[in-house]
Amino acid sequence: MEQVNSHKKLDYLIIGQGLVGTWLSYYALKAGKTCMVVNDSHTAAASQVASGVINPVTGRRIVQTWMIDTFLPFALNAYSDLGTQLNASIVSEAPVVLIHPSLQMQESFEYRYEHDNVYLQKNNATDFEAFMHTPFGTGQINQTIWIDLNLMMREWRQQLIKDHQFIDAKFDITDLQITNEGISWKGIQAKRIVFSDGIGSMENPFFKMLPFAPNKGEALIVEIKDLPNEAIYKHNLTIVPWKDQLFWVGSNYEWEYTDAAPSSTFRTKMEDALTQLLKIPFTVVDHIAGIRPANQERRPFVGLHPVYPAMGICNGMGTKGCSLAPYFAHQFIEHCENGTPIHAEASLDRFEEILKKTSGTI
Ligand SMILES: Cc1cc2nc3c(=O)[nH]c(=O)nc-3n(C[C@H](O)[C@H](O)[C@H](O)COP(=O)(O)OP(=O)(O)OC[C@H]3O[C@@H](n4cnc5c(N)ncnc54)[C@H](O)[C@@H]3O)c2cc1C
């Protein structure tokens, strides 16, 4: 375990370094605060298997996602700034090429193109016919962002390690003490502890009563040598540039699952779908799976515990961690440092009663 100066009191002890823990530590340090990030490299992270896409529209009706006009510019700035700090190319703008899977989806695109259209553009199906079947035509979504999450989290971790701000260990809540001045964990004193441990928070006696609804998702990593990698392709499946001629292909949304492992059912389904869509050869090189820290309300859990304000949580990002994590990590730190409010739909205030009544003790 990394040696820590146990006499110095930290501002933040951050549990978990997925997307959310990365952004919490980034904004804490940016605000001139001190922090230590504890992450267990043997515990799975949704962020490690995510495709890293921020798509401003969603669903069969191709409608704009929640608050995307706010989140998209914020995220683009945030990832660009972090990339500059890390001297790493982590963010690119890549259009989504829609390969309409049915007449209904083609009509849905045409309708949205004519009504309340911000992000849609028409394109030529002939541009894609060399490598894909396009019987129902194509369309395009602009201003989509792709983030190289693995590069970002790896480089940020290296920076934290270099600055003695990272511990690779499994956090166990029974080692935590809440003191009058904050918290104490294995000799480390901090004013606050923040849980950004994804589905780990579902076991936390102080936060497990939040309405988490974890959701399993899988992806194949596929080599498609002749597919241009400047765009994301969306059909019944999504194909996202991953690295060189490797593509991320997914996903599914399983609310009921027996384990977190990759399943043969998913692999067969994706291979069949790829065979039907592509005119060019492909080779599956990997199969990954993760659990999204989703919730019943589809809104994050952000704020301080109503009874123990030394404890906070920034979690519940569900399927949209890439756009939500920078924005709400920033709000969380601003709230702690300057008392600025957290967006009402994401604030922990909405669970005040249940957290007061049912919170455990250590
Ligand atoms: C297949 C798939 C595809 C996805 N694609 C996208 C996408 O394209 N765009 C998008 O916006 N979102 C996507 N998501 C959702 C996104 O991955 C999540 O919203 C986001 O990663 C959640 O980040 P997090 O930091 O809250 O949790 P996590 O990424 O799960 O991070 C939690 C961290 O805490 C650590 N940890 C847990 N318990 C402990 C402990 N006891 N001690 C120490 N450390 C601990 C874990 O090791 C991990 O590093 C996808 C998810 C999946 C599964």
Side-chain angles (χ1 to χ4, degrees):
M1 190 165 124
E2 182 81 18
Q3 283 301 304
V4 184
N5 181 350
S6 56
H7 301 295
K8 190 168 174 280
K9 188 170 177 179
L10 296 165
D11 292 303
Y12 295 95
L13 182 65
I14 296 170
I15 309 303
Q17 194 235 331
L19 259 167
V20 177
T22 296
W23 284 111
L24 281 170
S25 47
Y26 173 83
Y27 284 117
L29 294 169
K30 201 169 177 213
K33 301 295 155 186
T34 52
C35 73
M36 180 65 65
V37 178
V38 181
N39 186 82
D40 177 25
S41 51
H42 301 293
T43 302
S47 308
Q48 267 163 9
V49 300
S51 58
V53 173
I54 302 179
N55 183 348
V57 297
T58 186
R60 294 192 160 271
R61 291 171 50 240
I62 322 185
V63 290
Q64 288 183 37
T65 62
W66 178 54
M67 280 179 62
I68 194 63
D69 293 345
T70 303
F71 297 147
L72 195 63
F74 189 94
L76 188 56
N77 277 336
Y79 287 103
S80 302
D81 287 351
L82 179 54
T84 304
Q85 185 172 329
L86 295 173
N87 198 18
S89 176
I90 59 171
V91 58
S92 14
E93 281 194 66
V96 177
V97 174
L98 296 168
I99 314 288
H100 302 314
S102 63
L103 185 61
Q104 190 193 11
M105 286 307 289
Q106 183 195 36
E107 287 172 355
S108 191
F109 176 85
E110 296 294 340
Y111 178 86
R112 191 57 62 204
Y113 182 78
E114 300 296 340
H115 301 83
D116 307 324
N117 178 22
V118 179
Y119 298 102
L120 304 187
Q121 184 190 314
K122 296 215 174 184
N123 58 8
N124 285 324
T126 48
D127 292 348
F128 312 102
E129 277 171 2
F131 37 85
M132 282 182 192
H133 296 283
T134 60
F136 299 104
T138 59
Q140 187 162 311
I141 306 169
N142 291 328
Q143 296 186 47
T144 304
I145 303 176
W146 179 72
I147 302 130
D148 190 336
L149 292 178
N150 285 323
L151 176 65
M152 176 186 106
M153 293 189 303
R154 194 172 63 235
E155 292 297 311
W156 182 247
R157 185 170 306 184
Q158 286 313 316
Q159 187 150 321
L160 292 173
I161 291 170
K162 183 169 70 61
D163 295 336
H164 307 285
Q165 290 159 336
F166 185 87
I167 299 173
D168 189 339
K170 191 170 179 69
F171 174 86
D172 184 338
I173 197 127
T174 57
D175 298 324
L176 181 72
Q177 279 135 30
I178 303 170
T179 63
N180 288 339
E181 298 82 32
I183 63 97
S184 167
W185 178 76
K186 293 196 168 183
I188 298 175
Q189 320 292 322
K191 287 183 196 155
R192 288 206 162 95
I193 184 167
V194 198
F195 293 96
S196 50
D197 51 347
I199 57 164
S201 286
M202 293 173 63
E203 310 290 324
N204 184 319
F206 297 91
F207 293 110
K208 68 180 180 188
M209 62 295 294
L210 295 173
F212 282 101
N215 178 285
K216 180 177 173 181
E218 301 181 48
L220 300 181
I221 305 300
V222 182
E223 185 182 52
I224 316 175
K225 284 196 176 129
D226 299 322
L227 189 63
N229 61 4
E230 296 89 34
I232 295 158
Y233 304 90
K234 203 163 165 48
H235 184 249
N236 283 332
L237 46 73
T238 307
I239 303 176
V240 182
W242 193 244
K243 203 178 209 332
D244 304 324
Q245 285 318 112
L246 291 183
F247 292 83
W248 180 105
V249 179
S251 185
N252 55 346
Y253 301 86
E254 300 290 343
W255 298 103
E256 286 181 22
Y257 51 87
T258 47
D259 59 50
S263 71
S264 57
T265 319
F266 175 83
R267 180 168 177 152
T268 306
K269 195 174 160 195
M270 284 295 117
E271 284 180 335
D272 289 350
L274 274 177
T275 306
Q276 281 182 22
L277 175 65
L278 294 178
K279 293 178 178 171
I280 50 181
F282 67 89
T283 312
V284 176
V285 299
D286 202 0
H287 182 180
I288 51 182
I291 311 292
R292 303 175 182 93
N295 68 82
Q296 291 162 15
E297 299 187 333
R298 295 169 192 245
R299 295 291 179 263
F301 307 140
V302 185
L304 300 173
H305 195 285
V307 182
Y308 306 101
M311 261 195 256
I313 189 167
C314 193
N315 208 323
M317 305 289 156
T319 59
K320 304 265 183 287
C322 293
S323 55
L324 302 183
Y327 188 85
F328 286 109
H330 178 250
Q331 279 211 339
F332 180 90
I333 299 294
E334 284 293 302
H335 178 70
C336 293
E337 298 307 325
N338 302 317
T340 51
I342 289 162
H343 190 284
E345 284 185 73
S347 169
L348 217 52
D349 288 354
R350 64 202 203 274
F351 304 110
E352 190 176 339
E353 289 312 312
I354 189 162
L355 287 171
K356 272 183 182 164
K357 267 192 220 140
T358 54
S359 274
T361 49
I362 300 165

